[in-house]
Amino acid sequence: MVLKKPKLRNTLTSISIKGYKSINDEQEIELKPLTILVGTNSSGKSSFIQPILLLKQTIEESYDPGALLLNGPLAKFTNFEQLLHKSKENKADCFEVGFRIDNKHTCKFTYAKKDGELIVKNAIYINQIKNDKHDKHEYENVRIDHDMSIEEMRKQIPSRLFKLMNDFAESDGDIPEIKISRNRCFISLELIFKFDEDLKKGISFPGARPNIVIKNLIHLPGLRGNPERTYPVTSLNQKSDFVNLPGKFERYVASILHRWKSEDNSKAVEVEKYLGLLDLTNKIGTNKINDTQIEINVSTNSDEEDNFVNIADVGLGVSQTLPVLVALVYAQPGQIVYIEQPEIHLHPRGQYIFSQIIQEAVSRGVRVVIETHSSLIIKGIQTEVANKNINHKHVSLNWFKRVNGETKVESADLDADGTFGDWPIDFTDVELEAELSFIQAGDF
């Protein structure tokens, strides 16, 4: 089997966090086609991704909520101070979120509170630009501070735009105005070219590239909602290769399935295949009751295809797993699907088999991030690597732990045989300890 190198297109390839909750010193994780986050409870796994969810819900809100929407569908806070790192030795007054895009462009944003208002304190952009004349890459660095002067802003203008400004001034006589422009949770510099009293043209730099990347992330939380008798009808207009579904993904699941079933789409068959592999059901049905409600029905007998019941009348395994499977099948190549605890309500055998479903998604180019406590899922992924179904270079394994109250992340690479060294204490060592204790309990 030939494992192709995944193409990068508007996707996150690393995340760094600093000053957020238990994360004091900057911690960075490389996001590969498959990224695994493991560690004990309260070790900082969720805290690492949470800032990205804050940015996503800020971007997607129907109104401008300011620099950060604290209380939204993906993350809920009431005060900015709840986000900041606090310990006896260190107390942060701001936090920083950084990410790399396509392994080429780096962005870092710092969020703080000033005079009772949340602000983007500063932003750093490092963009890789290809110089065709010399056939090499150059880097354009731009730093923007909330309170920087006009003169400081001008020093950040790239040479290509500086020439444009001078050419415009020579031909028109007016020097373009420069100002800081905020677009929700991001800031950039903007040049205002004035052609006459009524006609102005603005050019922002760097552009709004982070918006696209963050919006395309699909998030499946640890608790994926209670099974409902009916689900809302949601719009699924697809105007580009990447599909932005704002808010909670599980609210779209019924409409996605209904479209697939109505169109006799092979993706519905794929979801049913995965449900069968996990021994949850073999058939899914949908029924659009009216313009606002869709019900999901589940087959309860493999021998009788017409034996359907409402999803609310079967075990939680189906309702908790179905959104994950739909997301993995629905996602476009390059799109990130972040799954918290995919093992919830899955039998141990189902947890192990789930690694095969992840492998198929990764092979299609979907980028998967899982936060898990399941050693069986990890062992299954190791097996997929050993069987050459997943390239070992495409897996990032990250252990989270607390040291003196602060989160530290250790990353490991799998070798071609799927091995990576010692397990963390909360996995195999605990299983062996439990087995030994059981044996000794009956030894007189």
Side-chain angles (χ1 to χ4, degrees):
M1 177 183 295
V2 178
L3 299 174
K4 297 181 180 179
K5 182 179 180 180
K7 294 182 179 180
L8 298 177
R9 181 185 176 190
N10 288 334
T11 191
L12 296 180
T13 48
S14 79
I15 298 175
S16 65
I17 305 294
K18 178 181 178 181
Y20 187 88
K21 290 190 174 182
S22 62
I23 305 170
N24 181 35
D25 298 327
E26 182 178 81
Q27 303 292 310
E28 183 174 8
I29 285 179
E30 182 180 4
L31 297 184
K32 294 187 177 182
L34 174 56
T35 303
I36 306 168
L37 314 181
V38 294
T40 59
N41 294 329
S42 300
S43 59
K45 302 184 300 297
S46 298
S47 295
F48 196 87
I49 301 293
Q50 204 169 61
I52 302 298
L53 301 180
L54 279 168
L55 301 187
K56 179 176 169 65
Q57 69 185 22
T58 302
I59 296 167
E60 294 177 343
E61 184 52 69
S62 59
Y63 62 91
D64 184 356
L68 283 176
L69 175 61
L70 297 183
N71 190 3
L74 306 179
K76 295 185 181 295
F77 299 92
T78 55
N79 291 298
F80 179 72
E81 289 72 21
Q82 294 167 349
L83 311 180
L84 303 177
H85 175 76
K86 301 180 188 70
S87 66
K88 292 181 179 179
E89 294 78 16
N90 299 290
K91 186 176 181 180
D93 59 1
C94 61
F95 75 90
E96 179 184 283
V97 183
F99 42 87
R100 197 182 309 130
I101 303 169
D102 296 345
N103 286 328
K104 295 180 180 179
H105 312 284
T106 300
C107 312
K108 285 191 176 182
F109 303 93
T110 302
Y111 299 92
K113 200 172 185 178
K114 183 177 181 180
D115 300 328
E117 180 184 0
L118 301 187
I119 62 169
V120 188
K121 185 178 180 180
N122 58 58
I124 298 173
Y125 296 86
I126 304 174
N127 293 325
Q128 180 178 302
I129 301 172
K130 187 174 182 180
N131 188 328
D132 293 325
K133 184 177 180 180
H134 301 288
D135 194 27
K136 65 178 183 179
H137 290 102
E138 298 177 350
Y139 291 90
E140 174 185 276
N141 294 267
V142 177
R143 179 184 174 92
I144 308 168
D145 292 304
H146 182 267
D147 297 319
M148 70 194 308
S149 65
I150 297 295
E151 186 59 32
E152 290 172 325
M153 293 183 205
R154 291 188 180 279
K155 292 179 181 178
Q156 301 299 316
I157 300 175
S159 57
R160 56 188 172 84
L161 289 180
F162 211 89
K163 183 179 184 304
L164 180 64
M165 288 177 61
N166 290 335
D167 291 344
F168 183 83
E170 289 178 3
S171 62
D172 191 75
D174 288 332
I175 298 176
E177 175 190 354
I178 183 171
K179 67 176 185 177
I180 295 175
S181 176
R182 182 184 64 81
N183 181 8
R184 304 293 176 102
C185 46
F186 305 126
I187 57 173
S188 58
L189 294 177
E190 186 175 15
L191 293 174
I192 308 296
F193 293 83
K194 184 178 178 181
F195 295 93
D196 54 45
E197 291 297 327
D198 299 320
L199 182 59
K200 295 181 180 180
K201 175 68 175 178
I203 299 178
S204 294
F205 66 94
R209 189 184 184 91
N211 282 9
I212 300 172
V213 176
I214 300 296
K215 286 165 67 174
N216 286 328
L217 182 143
I218 294 177
H219 173 229
L220 286 306
L223 296 176
R224 294 177 272 277
N226 293 320
E228 304 288 346
R229 292 285 169 188
T230 61
Y231 293 87
V233 173
T234 52
S235 175
L236 300 173
N237 292 329
Q238 300 184 19
K239 298 181 180 180
S240 65
D241 291 338
F242 281 89
V243 183
N244 172 36
L245 300 178
K248 294 183 176 182
F249 179 81
E250 57 260 33
R251 297 186 66 82
Y252 296 91
V253 170
S255 292
I256 292 172
L257 281 172
H258 185 68
R259 169 181 283 187
W260 288 346
K261 298 293 287 188
S262 300
E263 297 174 352
D264 199 21
N265 194 306
S266 62
K267 292 183 177 181
V269 177
E270 192 170 1
V271 171
E272 291 172 335
K273 179 188 77 172
Y274 292 153
L275 287 167
L277 279 175
L278 298 174
D279 201 25
L280 293 172
T281 184
N282 71 320
K283 204 76 174 176
I284 288 284
T286 61
N287 177 33
K288 188 174 181 180
I289 298 173
N290 51 44
D291 290 338
T292 64
Q293 295 175 301
I294 295 176
E295 66 175 351
I296 300 176
N297 299 312
V298 180
S299 173
T300 60
N301 191 322
S302 59
D303 297 326
E304 299 178 29
E305 290 193 0
D306 60 346
N307 187 21
F308 283 92
V309 298
N310 190 281
I311 194 172
D313 295 323
V314 296
L316 286 173
V318 178
S319 63
Q320 292 296 302
T321 306
L322 185 60
V324 174
L325 301 181
V326 171
L328 290 173
V329 174
Y330 182 76
Q332 303 289 320
Q335 199 165 15
I336 292 176
V337 179
Y338 167 47
I339 311 167
E340 296 183 50
Q341 301 175 51
E343 67 270 18
I344 285 181
H345 293 289
L346 280 181
H347 184 274
R349 178 174 175 78
Q351 295 179 33
Y352 184 71
I353 291 175
F354 186 75
S355 61
Q356 299 174 24
I357 298 171
I358 293 176
Q359 176 270 316
E360 291 193 15
V362 170
S363 69
R364 292 196 304 270
V366 178
R367 299 175 73 85
V368 181
V369 179
I370 61 169
E371 175 194 326
T372 183
H373 292 285
S374 173
S375 60
L376 288 170
I377 288 180
I378 295 178
K379 188 62 69 177
I381 289 168
Q382 290 180 272
T383 303
E384 293 298 315
V385 170
N387 287 330
K388 312 305 179 188
N389 294 326
I390 300 178
N391 189 324
H392 68 101
K393 295 180 181 179
H394 296 168
V395 182
S396 170
L397 190 56
N398 305 275
W399 312 126
F400 283 70
K401 60 182 180 180
R402 292 282 283 268
V403 179
N404 297 324
E406 297 183 3
T407 293
K408 303 295 180 184
V409 184
E410 296 180 3
S411 299
D413 295 321
L414 274 64
D415 62 21
D417 295 321
T419 61
F420 53 84
D422 295 335
W423 285 90
I425 188 64
D426 55 322
F427 277 87
T428 302
D429 288 351
V430 175
E431 294 174 6
L432 292 174
E433 181 182 335
E435 188 71 24
L436 181 60
S437 297
F438 173 70
I439 293 172
Q440 291 176 338
D443 188 11
F444 297 98

